[in-house]
Amino acid sequence: MKRILLILIINVLTFTSCDSFLDELPDNRTTIDTKGEISKLLVSAYPSSAHYCLMCEIASDNVDDYLGENSLYSYIFPKQIAYWEDITTSNNEDPGRVWYTYYHAIAAANEALESIKNMGDTEELQAYKGEALLCRAYCHFCLVNVFCRNFSPKTSKTDLGIPYMMKPESTLEPHYERGTVEDVYNKIEADLEAGLPLLDDAIYSVPKYHFNRKAAYAFASRFYLFHLDYDNVIKYANMCLGNNPSSMMRDYSTWKNITRDFSLYAQDYVKDTHSCNLMLGAGMSVGGKYFGNYSTWKRFCIQKETTIAEIFNGRMPWGDSYSLEPTGTDYGYPASIVFTYTSGYTVTPKIPYYFECTDPVANTGYYRAVFPLFEAEEVLMNRAEAYAMKGEYDAAVEDMLTWQEKHIVGGIKLTRSNINNFYNNIEYYEPLGKETEISGVTVRLTPSIKKVLSPDFEYQKGEQENMIQCILQIRRLNSVFEGLRWFDIKRWGIEIDRRLINEQGKIESVVARLPVGDPRRAFQIPEDVIEAGLTANPR
Amino acid sequence: MKQNTKKSFKLCILFIFVCILNLSAMTSAQNTRINLEVKNSKLRDVIWKLDNTTSLNFFYNTKELEGIIIEDENFKNTLLSDVIKTLLKDTKLEYSLIHNTVVIRKTPNSNQISQQKERVITGTIKDENGATLPGVNVIIKGTALGKASDINGKYKISIPTDKKVILVFSFIGMKKKEIVVNKQSVINVVLISTSETIDEVVVTGITSTDKRLFTGAADKLQAKDIKMSGIPEIGRSLEGRSAGVSVQNVSGTFGTAPKIRVRGATSIYGNSKPLWVVDGVPLEDVVELSPDDLSSGDASTLISSAISGLNPDDIESFQILKDGSATSIYGAKAMAGVIVITTKKGRSGVSRISYSSDFTMRLVPRYSEFNIMNSQDQMGVYQEMEQKGWLKMAELTNSSSYGVYGKMYQLINSYNNETGQFGLRNTPESKTAYLQKAEFRNTDWFDVLFKNSISQSHAISMSGGNKKSRYYASLSALIDPGWSVSNKVNRYTANINASYNIFKNLDMNIITNGSFRKQTVPGTLSQTTDEVNGSVKRDFDINPYSYAMNSSRTLHPNEYYRSNYAPFNILNELKNNYIDLKVSDVKFQSEIKYKPISGMEVSVLGAVRYQNSVREHHTKDNSNQAMAYRSMPNFIIQNNNPLLYKDPDKPYDLPMTILPEGGIYTRNENQLTSYNFRTVLRYNKTIKDNNIINFNGGMEITSTERQSSWFNGWGMQYEQGEIPYYTYQIFKKGVEENNSYYGLYNTTSRNTAFFANLTYSWRAIYNLSGTIRYEGSNKLGKSRSARWLPTWNISGSWNVYNESFFEQFMPTFSHLTLKASYSLTADSGPSYVTNSSAVIRSGIPWRPTTSVKETNLYISQLENSSLTYEKKHELNIGASLGFLDDKINLEADWYSRKNYDLIGIINVEGVGGENSKWGNVAEMESNGLELSLSTKNIITPNFSWTSSIVYSHIHNKITKLHGSKRIIDLITNNGFGLENYPVRSIFSYRFKGLDKSGFPTVVNRNGDITSTDIYFQSRSTDYLKYEGPSDPTDMGSIGNIFNYKGFKLNVFITYSWGNVVRLRPIFKYGYTDLTAMTSEFKNRWIQSGDENITNIPVILSSRQYSENYDIRYGYNAYNYCDLRIAKGDFVRMKEISLTYNLPSKFLHNMKVNSCSIKLQASNLFLIYADKKLNGQDPEFINSGGVATPIPKQFTLSLHIGL
């Protein structure tokens, strides 16, 4: 009996040591417990797969419908986006992928924050904490602007927000509440303000792919602009741009040294060495093809007529359109960089096309692209808009002028008066252009660049509107292919007409319209997500 | 009566030992002098002490010693014999000393014996193989008088003459034999070993149970009964042998595991493979492969079989544990059943050396078995292709691959300076002549690539033992020069199993196994699914079998054509592009058994196993695969060859080669180290003769470490003394494309378990048994609550035949047992779902240039704190019946299973960062029926005929599974599951006939009939047609064995039905002049109107294709439509063998105990298969790579025992 007892005792002893025996990790997965690991984890706290850019660009007023269903490039996905339908097809850049990509980055940020907390939240970890908070704030900011209505002092208290993730998800099938847009903005602001002072550029080996200080200020200026807090916009824009904003503008003169090749220009556009590029994002995107000289999805793109009227070649405050061909010496915007092709679409080298080949024999792999996420020009325009909203028109014009000097070759120098003159003297945009009688013949003018603004906040007609109109146009030119135009449309309550372009490249009719206040201005959250139980956007 | 048998059993053992010791005793023990002080002790204890302290062995009947007390004795330096004499002085006991064994027994009544007249009987005792048997107990029935046979099997016994005497011959493992003595004075006896005797025990690996007390569904198979000669991998011979066990030979290449299922699939994403247990130790696979991986033909399948290192001749038996009552002792590993292998051990008193060898010749496949076009018909198709603009000179000469046409153009273009002539004159006549030659070529690729070589295997084993120790040792060698020109395998195994009885109550057993394998197979890359185009493909595939099936017979076997922009000749390629595999596997195992008190045993088992496999893929300098990396004969090819490298930093440069010299040396290494430690306490007790209690309990710790590493050596110059030469661009390209040139992956799996099993039986009539196991695994994370899982079973059986009322039915109704069990078992699910804590991995995010690259850590799986084991509830009801004195035996089992908590995918709100997650969300149910019927049709001394019929039916259905697979996964050969369908189901596009142009049309996701708008990555599936499961629902075998004198004829047929098979995907938008077509193409659409009479689509013209490239989707969808499916039903003549045992008389002169010769034909033909298959083996999945079908083969086996 004693022997049995002994055996039992041995067994009990082994049992107690079992739990630690089983604590061994099953594979080479990493646990986050050093500074270095946190820094590497934060590399994935940025969206790395689908960006909002493509979706938002197609939904905006930059694109029109070439030939409609007769187009050879009738893919369902871009069509559903362009017509603001709920997306039922899958694509690498569909709302589901965007949703997942941004939340995946948030998960990494939260995991990092959790680890920082577990490691004692020490002094040396503060810079990483700052980065994680910025990442978390930025990703939620993108999501709330894509999937919710824009911030509005009137309705944000009740508009559906998105779940704001403050810690890593740990259960299989949790259910979330969406909260309100205001909630989300408040939480973004809290993270942003907490994170900003902690940032330290010295921790980054590739600063332009991280929230370096300038990028963070740029984000802050965009955030406060959307949040209608103009003093903060100016404050952070100042911090970002410093005393000499002009030096941070894109320098097209370097393009003289580049062989005239679309892809080389595009690759140069997203180089991290340019001071205008504050932050870049690599992604899995067909953008390089769609925004390049390929037939991909070209049913919906910047059509010839649109670009002539509203984008690169429209009548602008600084004058009429300029030569589309490079002059050889003058490299400016839009003169040398707009490529228009015979079938009617316009592209500009901005989003480079890369192909990550995973199987060279079958030639299959992933489309890759790099998107400029923050540029100095946008920050400058954020500040200009804030000045304009505060009635400081001189300051606003000065910023516009800074931009004009670097981007427009020749033309009339912008001043308060010629901006006012220009906008006072043109008609508001009509989708098919205004019919006018010239010398007894009825002609149709191209639609103007001046769109009716119906935001949820107050602004004055007259000079304030004129300033805003000009700033919005610069923003539109500057952010083409980046998707930011969609947010401006939402913020400023601009109606969009989706127009049919005929074989001659002419606007034929309006096929669909997205009125101000339409719930479709918030993309429907992904089908799978709704099915899984999250509240859908109203339709 | 019971007492008597016990006694005689003991005596029997005694005589065996006496006999053995006679031989081996070396010391004269009776001269030993000892000191001993005895005070008021039991005689038994004194003897026990003597036994332990002296070198003498004592034999006695405990009962006879009972109650004898030695009051006071003191021996000092006394002769041992005197001590014993004194001790026994006043008892009715006497002793005799035979060498160093002291036998104590009751003094016989001397008067009785001496007054009787006696005579002497002598004889020799042999076993059925003619080997002499020493130590056989020979007893006069009704008395305790007896002798044992000597070393030569001879015995001598005096018997009384005045009455009828019956001699009883008995020996462990042999059938007892009684012989009535008449006048004869020499009685020679042959004892027959009984498998039934061994059958009495059910071995679960951890413990063994008396069969009468066993309550579950299990099948015991003797290796010698099922072993198929010439098949060196024993797992394959289980096919059709046991009801409920399916073995699908998805590949016949040595080392690849067949798809084995015990009662079908138990998991949706998991691998559903049974647990192998060898001599009590669970065997881990060195690589964990999914069922799809098994049939992929990838090189990793070569090490997928855990048991390929076992020599079939070393295996004694298989025990297949099917239901939860037996498997729940393995708990969370045993959801898919357990196969317990017991290897051979030495036996006391039997010294053997035996040698066996197999010589196997495989038949080369013939074109007549398949429906592949001969070269005349093929040429006719090429002519049509030429007319349709496919084989144009300008395009073909710069295309990535070509056959005779391209070769012809190349000859026309090549000018020979010396002869001043072109390789071929560019005239219609010479072209026609050239093509005509090809037309009549009819190359037999099977003849070129396969050979009738003889594979040999040799095994030698020695075994022996005595009272103290037993051993079994063996060596084997398999030398297989290969069926095809590029397959070769040698395997060597060694095995030692020794036991030693240290003390009476302490046994030790050690087992050492080792094997080494060296194998060569054709070089292969991994299979990939091109979900965009909807096809499964493999680059640079040179598998001889698929090459013969897919390559045009117009090609000349010695000519170089083109593939991947480089010259290609299959024989050259096989010589220059191959994989060398070396696998070494060793296992050390030891077990100590200790019996502290009667009925109780404590055992401690420890085992260490190490397996290392090194796979070296040599792509030599002159191989097509290496040359393709540097092929740029002209500007066009330089721009088109996708294997050339375009430096992104030098945008104006032409693509360059990254492999200017040499070949590619790729090395993969897999290592497995597993540790296993177990202690078990067993306790058996019989209370008041009627109540039997068995208890087993213990704990087990296992740890398995796996390491895999790989390395890509670019520029290995095989032809230049194996010196590497590489360019820096290789690394630059790697960095740019996120490809590493080496990798390392380590995993550790740890398990701890506690288990207990209690069986209660009343007179072995009513049995009740319960098992519980509590298991923990590190896979389920640090959460200390989630990682532990209890599994259990409760079961009972009723041995009706033991009831007294049953006797009235005997012998017509000779046996009846009813059984039932209910259990919970589990499995830890697919190996890649381990996210009980967040899985964070490192990677390199894509960036446009190296200057902005950085490495990262990313969350590859979010935490799922509720991750748990996949579980299964199973109800099993069984009966075993015997009729006509057990001439007919029927085993029947019915089961119903509910699998829940299965791993599946669900869509979630995505807020955590994942749209869909793996979790325990799926459920399935299955049920089945298993019948095994064995009959002894005719039994006469010279002739016997026995039959066995095995049948099983399996039905399963997924009852809960969200999330769906891509179409491409549902339509290909393996299929996949959807809710309300079987676990592995194949679906088809619905074919809607050919359209007016001869294009195939199918229904697409929008319900449209189309040839172009088909999306293989779609996840909506309602428009597909369900064809059937890919796993058979009914299967089994019919076996007949005829014995006539020394001859034995075995005819074994296997069958299965209920599944569907996808026909080879042979249709494409365009073909090359390398393609071999099937004769179906003869009925193709040729002209308008043909769509009414044929379903074979048109061969597209190159113009039609360039007008709409999407037509290629239509052709691929046609491959996966409801026309291109066949039934998987088959009846296979698996084995016919004739064995001849040489008569013992003849052998005796040659000092040989046994000798047999066997001729066996395996896999001869399919008695039935769906005609649509046209020679395609319904079991084999022709995926290229290293996969080859099981060949038709003839084996000559020789077995000699000394």
Side-chain angles (χ1 to χ4, degrees), chain A residues 205-465:
Chain A
S205 57
V206 189
K208 289 292 174 70
Y209 282 83
H210 290 263
F211 267 110
N212 56 72
R213 276 190 169 268
K214 285 197 166 168
Y217 295 142
F219 168 46
S221 77
R222 188 191 291 174
F223 170 75
Y224 284 115
L225 183 72
F226 286 24
H227 203 189
L228 312 178
D229 180 349
Y230 302 113
D231 290 333
N232 270 322
V233 178
I234 294 162
K235 173 182 153 194
Y236 286 113
N238 288 342
M239 289 166 88
C240 176
L241 297 169
N243 299 325
N244 187 7
S246 181
S247 67
M248 289 183 68
M249 297 294 106
R250 190 170 293 277
D251 182 7
Y252 283 105
S253 66
T254 58
W255 284 21
K256 282 178 200 163
N257 308 325
I258 298 172
T259 310
R260 192 172 183 280
D261 181 297
F262 189 92
S263 61
L264 298 181
Y265 286 154
Q267 284 173 21
D268 184 76
Y269 194 94
V270 295
K271 272 214 170 123
D272 66 321
T273 46
H274 299 315
S275 55
C276 57
N277 288 337
L278 302 176
M279 194 165 108
L280 299 160
M284 200 184 287
S285 172
V286 74
K289 291 195 106 177
Y290 175 55
F291 300 131
N293 186 20
Y294 299 87
S295 61
T296 308
W297 295 0
K298 285 297 173 349
R299 177 177 165 190
F300 297 100
C301 58
I302 305 180
Q303 307 295 353
K304 203 172 182 178
E305 183 87 357
T306 327
T307 208
I308 288 171
E310 297 176 42
I311 306 179
F312 295 122
N313 306 105
R315 271 191 72 204
M316 305 288 176
W318 48 84
D320 281 344
S321 65
Y322 288 80
S323 159
L324 287 174
E325 286 301 311
T327 56
T329 47
D330 297 332
Y331 287 83
Y333 198 44
S336 65
I337 51 167
V338 177
F339 290 69
T340 303
Y341 294 91
T342 43
S343 63
Y345 59 81
T346 301
V347 287
T348 181
K350 179 177 260 191
I351 311 300
Y353 163 56
Y354 291 101
F355 184 67
E356 185 192 9
C357 190
T358 52
D359 182 344
V361 178
N363 204 28
T364 51
Y366 302 110
Y367 294 130
R368 294 286 188 180
V370 178
F371 290 98
L373 299 180
F374 290 104
E375 286 161 285
E377 283 84 352
E378 190 225 344
V379 181
L380 192 67
M381 286 306 110
N382 291 346
R383 188 168 75 182
E385 190 178 331
Y387 282 139
M389 288 308 288
K390 283 167 66 91
E392 299 169 28
Y393 305 126
D394 287 326
V397 171
E398 195 187 326
D399 282 347
M400 286 189 258
L401 203 57
T402 307
W403 178 83
Q404 189 198 6
E405 278 166 359
K406 285 288 187 171
H407 284 263
I408 305 295
V409 179
I412 305 156
K413 218 174 183 194
L414 294 175
T415 60
R416 271 178 78 169
S417 61
N418 60 31
I419 292 172
N420 277 323
N421 276 340
F422 177 80
Y423 281 101
N424 287 336
N425 288 325
I426 57 170
E427 303 281 341
Y428 277 102
Y429 153 95
E430 281 177 41
L432 303 178
K434 197 180 169 63
E435 281 184 3
T436 326
E437 209 164 288
I438 299 174
S439 320
V441 186
T442 309
V443 290
R444 198 183 281 275
L445 295 178
T446 55
S448 92
I449 61 171
K450 183 178 169 186
K451 299 210 168 182
V452 177
L453 308 177
S454 326
D456 271 2
F457 48 83
E458 298 298 318
Y459 75 100
Q460 267 112 49
K461 296 269 176 188
E463 179 155 27
Q464 191 169 38
E465 190 197 345

Side-chain angles (χ1 to χ4, degrees), chain A residues 3-4 7 11 14-15 18-30 32 37 40-41 43-44 76 90 96-97 99-100 103-104 107-108 111 163 165 169-176 205-206 209-210 259 264 272 282-283 354 356-357 359-362 364 368-370 528-529 531-534, chain B residues 528 537 539 594 596 600 602 642-643 651-652 679 699 701-703 737-738 744-748 750-752 754 776-778 782 784 787-788 834 837-841 845-848 852-859 862-866 906-915 917-919 921 1015:
Chain A
R3 288 174 186 142
I4 302 165
I7 291 157
N11 271 342
T14 26
F15 181 75
C18 274
D19 266 319
S20 53
F21 174 74
L22 297 178
D23 283 343
E24 173 85 17
L25 284 174
D27 52 27
N28 59 4
R29 69 183 65 174
T30 318
I32 308 296
E37 282 163 342
K40 289 199 167 181
L41 182 59
V43 174
S44 49
I76 299 168
S90 65
R97 293 295 182 98
W99 182 270
Y100 151 79
Y103 271 119
H104 193 248
E111 191 73 39
M165 290 298 283
E169 185 173 287
S170 63
T171 52
L172 182 64
E173 224 182 333
H175 175 65
Y176 296 93
S205 57
V206 189
Y209 282 83
H210 290 263
T259 310
L264 298 181
D272 66 321
Y354 291 101
E356 185 192 9
C357 190
D359 182 344
V361 178
T364 51
R368 294 286 188 180
V370 178
D528 290 347
V529 171
E531 208 173 281
L534 201 65
Chain B
T528 50
K537 65 184 194 70
D539 301 326
Y594 172 60
M600 179 183 284
V602 178
L643 297 175
Y652 312 118
T679 59
M699 62 157 302
I701 298 173
T702 56
S703 167
E737 294 177 357
N738 270 356
L744 177 67
Y745 186 59
N746 278 300
T747 63
T748 307
R750 288 183 171 182
N751 279 283
T752 311
F754 301 87
S777 154
N778 73 329
K782 291 203 169 181
R784 298 197 166 178
R787 68 163 58 136
W788 291 99
T834 56
S837 60
V839 182
I840 294 169
R841 299 200 182 281
W846 180 88
R847 295 282 166 82
V852 290
K853 273 208 186 254
E854 53 187 332
T855 56
N856 72 357
L857 293 173
Y858 66 96
I859 300 176
L862 289 170
E863 178 180 348
N864 170 11
S865 53
S866 58
I906 49 159
N907 288 331
V908 292
E909 294 175 9
V911 175
E914 282 179 335
N915 277 4
K917 288 194 192 177
W918 295 98
V921 294
Y1015 183 56

Side-chain angles (χ1 to χ4, degrees), chain B residues 59-126:
Chain B
F59 276 96
Y60 49 88
N61 185 335
T62 347
K63 283 228 161 128
E64 291 170 353
L65 266 60
E66 210 97 287
I68 300 169
I69 307 287
I70 309 296
E71 296 197 332
D72 195 2
E73 296 285 357
N74 200 348
F75 306 102
K76 283 217 169 110
N77 202 18
T78 321
L79 269 176
L80 191 60
S81 49
D82 291 342
V83 173
I84 300 167
K85 214 178 273 174
T86 318
L87 287 172
L88 300 180
K89 183 170 56 184
D90 289 329
T91 66
K92 284 181 178 168
L93 299 171
E94 63 165 31
Y95 84 98
S96 52
L97 184 68
I98 309 161
H99 288 273
N100 58 349
T101 300
V102 181
V103 180
I104 299 171
R105 56 182 155 186
K106 268 194 172 151
T107 317
N109 191 336
S110 52
N111 293 338
Q112 245 180 11
I113 288 171
S114 60
Q115 281 166 8
Q116 280 170 356
K117 279 182 106 183
E118 291 185 343
R119 69 184 177 100
V120 175
I121 305 283
T122 59
T124 311
I125 306 171
K126 289 184 175 177

Side-chain angles (χ1 to χ4, degrees), chain B residues 567-759:
Chain B
F568 182 88
N569 171 276
I570 183 70
L571 289 169
N572 174 68
E573 193 61 14
L574 290 171
K575 217 183 296 165
N576 284 292
N577 184 350
Y578 57 88
I579 294 174
D580 272 335
L581 173 75
K582 294 190 184 86
V583 183
S584 40
D585 193 341
V586 284
K587 184 176 88 163
F588 310 107
Q589 177 178 342
S590 174
E591 185 173 25
I592 295 171
K593 286 183 180 168
Y594 172 60
K595 295 183 177 112
I597 53 171
S598 148
M600 179 183 284
E601 183 187 84
V602 178
S603 69
V604 179
L605 182 146
V608 181
R609 178 165 167 245
Y610 173 74
Q611 190 185 340
N612 179 33
S613 74
V614 178
R615 216 162 71 217
E616 292 172 302
H617 184 174
H618 302 288
T619 311
K620 292 192 171 173
D621 316 26
N622 293 326
S623 69
N624 168 268
Q625 194 179 341
M627 286 191 291
Y629 276 93
R630 48 178 168 263
S631 175
M632 36 189 178
N634 62 41
F635 176 77
I636 299 170
I637 291 180
Q638 192 168 6
N639 268 319
N640 287 344
N641 185 351
L643 297 175
L644 298 179
Y645 168 62
K646 195 159 165 50
D647 190 339
D649 296 341
K650 294 178 181 163
Y652 312 118
D653 285 9
L654 278 172
M656 61 172 293
T657 174
I658 47 166
L659 190 69
E661 303 283 340
I664 310 160
Y665 167 70
T666 306
R667 185 186 163 93
N668 284 271
E669 189 165 352
N670 289 84
Q671 291 182 43
L672 168 99
T673 318
S674 68
Y675 304 91
N676 200 290
F677 179 80
R678 182 164 68 215
T679 59
V680 184
L681 176 88
R682 297 185 186 91
Y683 184 67
N684 299 330
K685 187 153 177 81
T686 306
I687 303 164
K688 291 180 187 161
D689 290 344
N690 290 333
N691 305 286
I692 306 163
I693 291 171
N694 279 352
F695 171 79
N696 294 295
M699 62 157 302
E700 184 180 43
I701 298 173
T702 56
S703 167
T704 306
E705 292 156 17
R706 292 185 176 85
Q707 185 190 80
S708 71
S709 59
W710 60 273
F711 173 79
N712 263 349
W714 290 86
M716 167 55 70
Q717 301 182 99
Y718 287 94
E719 309 290 322
Q720 314 278 327
E722 299 179 343
I723 309 282
Y725 172 83
Y726 53 86
T727 58
Y728 77 90
Q729 281 93 344
I730 223 62
F731 298 100
K732 187 165 182 293
K733 179 173 185 265
V735 173
E736 282 156 11
E737 294 177 357
N738 270 356
N739 293 321
S740 309
Y741 67 99
Y742 70 94
L744 177 67
Y745 186 59
N746 278 300
T747 63
T748 307
S749 123
R750 288 183 171 182
N751 279 283
T752 311
F754 301 87
F755 50 86
N757 163 258
L758 183 68
T759 304

